[in-house]
Amino acid sequence: LSAVEGAVLIVSAADGVETQTLSAWKKLRARGVRTIIFINKLDNPDFSLDETLIGVEEAFGTRPVLLTFPDYRQGKMSAVLDVISGTRLSHSADGQEIPRPVAKNDSAAASLQRCYNEAIDFASSFDDGVLEMAMAGASVPPADLVRALSALAASDDYVLCYAGSALENFGVRSLMTGLSFFLPSPPDFHGKYLGEVIRLRHFPEVGEISLFRSM
């Protein structure tokens, strides 16, 4: 854990927060590793996103901020809805997630707006510009929300959550985008420094080996 700037913690919607998940969370928190949660296995509509989010809040003692959620058609997961971009990500012919705008009369538009407003409410405590726009009743652009959520992501009181299905490749594209937005950048080693030693290992036949990270 000393070698990473951030982590993705997987929570199964089938099983909820398990003992090893809670243990991993505590270790990440103790190390100060910024963490994003991905709620997995939602391709099964019998598994509840809402119940999983409640379990996360109760077990971790932190408020989840939902940034994607599944879209079902005829009892089957057909896409994920991305809160920040306001798009529906469905599969192309070759299985890639392709974002498409969600129209105002779309049945998912209200849920997207509600989650967007929730994210603004939470993030406004960490960004004066977003707070001023929210108090004035002005629209908060996605770029400003991303900036505020970046500050929120460093807080112990909230955790950013993405949801989908890794097996079916739903929600992975949004998650990867979130990593670039909300996790710290790697350190910039320069000059005479090659990197940072993170562990020393000793092997009888070889001797001492240094494991290090570099840019």
Side-chain angles (χ1 to χ4, degrees), residues 5-201:
E5 278 66 52
V8 178
L9 186 63
I10 310 298
V11 177
S12 168
D15 305 304
V17 178
E18 298 182 285
T19 303
Q20 63 268 29
T21 314
L22 182 57
S23 176
W25 171 260
K26 289 179 178 178
K27 290 178 181 178
L28 290 164
R29 274 294 190 257
R31 288 274 189 171
V33 178
R34 192 177 300 186
T35 305
I36 290 175
I37 290 178
F38 183 76
I39 299 174
N40 195 26
K41 298 187 179 180
L42 288 168
D43 49 297
N44 187 331
D46 293 333
F47 301 148
S48 172
L49 173 59
D50 289 340
E51 288 182 8
T52 308
L53 290 171
I54 291 171
V56 165
E57 186 168 2
E58 291 178 348
F60 296 165
T62 187
R63 185 69 180 265
V65 182
L66 189 63
L67 297 182
T68 60
F69 56 93
D71 190 26
Y72 298 100
R73 291 289 183 271
Q74 298 179 342
K76 186 177 180 180
M77 190 174 183
S78 60
V80 294
L81 295 154
D82 187 284
V83 173
I84 294 176
S85 65
T87 57
R88 174 183 280 110
L89 287 88
S90 53
H91 286 168
S92 63
D94 59 358
Q96 296 184 36
E97 288 189 287
I98 305 298
R100 297 177 175 84
V102 175
K104 291 184 178 180
N105 60 351
D106 192 294
S107 58
S111 296
L112 272 173
Q113 190 61 53
R114 184 180 70 253
C115 289
Y116 194 89
N117 291 340
E118 258 188 13
I120 291 171
D121 287 342
F122 297 142
S124 62
S125 299
F126 299 87
D127 188 283
D128 290 341
V130 169
L131 177 61
E132 288 177 7
M133 285 185 276
M135 292 183 67
S139 176
V140 177
D144 292 291
L145 179 57
V146 167
R147 184 188 66 241
L149 288 173
S150 296
L152 176 146
S155 165
D156 288 338
D157 297 326
Y158 297 90
V159 61
L160 301 180
C161 290
Y162 291 81
S165 168
L167 179 65
E168 299 293 337
N169 191 33
F170 281 116
V172 177
R173 176 170 176 164
S174 292
L175 173 65
M176 298 305 291
T177 301
L179 300 186
S180 66
F181 283 159
F182 304 122
L183 294 188
S185 299
D188 183 17
F189 299 109
H190 54 84
K192 63 181 180 180
Y193 296 100
L194 296 176
E196 177 184 8
V197 174
I198 58 171
R199 179 176 294 185
L200 298 175
R201 300 287 300 274

